[in-house]
Amino acid sequence: MSAVDGPAPVNGGEVLVPSGAAREESPRDEQGFWGKLGPGLITGAADDDPSGIATYTQAGAMFGYGLGWTLLLTYPLMVGIQLASARIGRTTGRGLTSAFAALWPRPVVAVAVMLLLVANIVNLAADLGAMAEVTRLAIGGPEALYALAFGVVSLGMQAWLPYHRYVRILKWLTLSLLAYVGVAMVAQVDWRAAFAGAFLLRIQWNTDAVKMVVAILGTTISPYLFFWQAAQEVEEIERVDKDQPLKRAPRQAPSQLRRLRLDTWLGMGFSNVIAFFMILAAAATLHANGKLDIESTAQAAEALRPVAGDAAFVLFALGILGTGLLALPVLAGSAAYACAEFLKVRRGLEKPPGAAPAFYAILAAAMACGMGISLIGIDPMKALVWAAVINSLMSVPIMIGVMLAASSRRLMGELMLPPGWRVLGWAATAAMAAASVAFVVTSLAS
């Protein structure tokens, strides 16, 4: 084997450095545990955005503890597809759009990018509306002004803070999700029923139940998360001097692939644990007191006050704001990365706006569209749940693209996704497809 060929694949596709070879250490090897976490943790936390909060709260309010099992189902599936996306970015040094473009005709790639844009803009609008509504409930004032303010602040931070500084803020914002553990703690959770809901599979074949399961899958396994995590791996390669795409520097593969697995398993685990606590809190407070249909985030927050006290209300509201501030840049940023890659223009949050004007113009346009839709009076809670359903329906073709790209020897070389991870990624794709078909069938039958 020549030096150009790189190390031989073993253990189903993972790469080990030949015995005696010098190993190129990434600076991450010298960092502590917190320093090793990054794209996976931020991506997982951003998954519990106001859209996710609305969906999990509605699930707990309508079905009590009965849908807790969905989070155990989605965890490994989520890890499978996210790890495939991250591996594409780290191995090739380019995002998903560029990876797709290397394998398929541009019209096919254009459809995938358009699907992402539609889902992200709807999600942005729903998240901004939820944040504005909760702020109005807490301090009064006009919701429209708050929606505009949150959008402008998020856009400004992305434009004027370089990635290496902004990513630190995003990592600390992930801690805002702990507010929902606090909500569950102050509520009187029936832990026996909670564990039964988590470990006993109960499926109700009716429109409401199927729609809710699809919404949970859609808000947990969302297209924008695939694009974002892959793009952030590319940003990390550019940020760290010693880091290179693994196809170019295969000796970095052992340490980087270990980091990818750790970051992704923990990030997605954190996301699903928090989602489980959201369902518990809603089941213990809203469902237990007969409040089965929550029509707005404000109603959800307000309903908690007489049942679980002011502390639960405050934690719920702060959680929406914190996770919203985390999710907005992920939604707008993933859309901008995808479009900029398709247009083959300079891109990256590490670059100032003047160095990547088209990238930041797309970022601003996505945020502006989201702000515009949030101002036309759509009910935030319904928009949030439907945003999750749209994500679910649109994610299947994009997930197929991710799995084909991650399994392509032409694109990934010897670092293509190992068989075990391929099974997990395709299982996630199949689960999303089945849920989408079930939603269509039950909707037509009702």
Side-chain angles (χ1 to χ4, degrees), residues 35 110 283 334:
S334 59

Side-chain angles (χ1 to χ4, degrees), residues 65-66 188-200 202 276 280:
Y65 302 105
Q188 295 181 350
V189 173
D190 182 341
W191 290 103
R192 177 174 294 183
F195 285 115
F199 294 105
L200 297 178
R202 302 171 184 171
F276 183 65
L280 296 190

Side-chain angles (χ1 to χ4, degrees), residues 2 12 62 88 111 122 208 212 219 229 241 258 267 321 384 389 430 443:
S2 70
M62 291 181 67
I88 291 171
V111 170
V122 171
D208 288 339
M212 188 54 62
T219 199
Q229 191 166 354
D241 289 339
R258 280 197 302 271
L321 297 180
L384 288 167
V389 172
S443 295

